[in-house]
Amino acid sequence: MKTPFMIHPDIRLASTLPGSFYHDSGLFEETKEKIFARSWQLISGAEEQNRLPRMAFPFTYMPNFIDEPLLLLRDDHNEQRCMSNVCTHRGKILVEHQ
């Protein structure tokens, strides 16, 4: 993504993003991929949903935004793990519901 502005060291000469940045669907999709899809995000409510060892909790990461099917698991040592909820061979959802 090309930065459409420069941050000037003299705050009086600095500028903000142009209004078109907030309305451009191409920039929006690029921002989703480059910022949210490649960075760590908090899974809200994970502790309450996934309390027992060997428990699996399927959920969608950022519904209506990223829409990535994920699976939150607890292993035999009670450690939480998160993985894709899609079979890479068949493209099928692994766990449909709790």
Side-chain angles (χ1 to χ4, degrees), residues 7-14:
I7 299 174
H8 198 283
D10 182 347
I11 192 68
R12 295 170 295 168
L13 302 175

Side-chain angles (χ1 to χ4, degrees), residues 36 39-50 55-74 80-86 92-98:
F36 293 99
S39 62
W40 288 95
Q41 304 297 323
L42 176 68
I43 301 171
S44 180
E47 287 294 321
E48 295 81 34
Q49 298 295 331
N50 198 28
M55 188 172 187
F57 174 67
F59 68 101
T60 301
Y61 172 68
M62 295 186 158
N64 302 314
F65 187 66
I66 302 287
D67 285 321
E68 180 71 27
L70 296 175
L71 192 55
L72 192 61
L73 306 162
R74 282 213 181 259
Q80 282 198 1
R81 310 281 182 210
C82 188
M83 60 183 275
S84 175
N85 192 16
V86 179
K92 173 82 172 97
I93 296 292
L94 299 172
V95 177
E96 298 281 341
H97 52 80
Q98 284 179 292

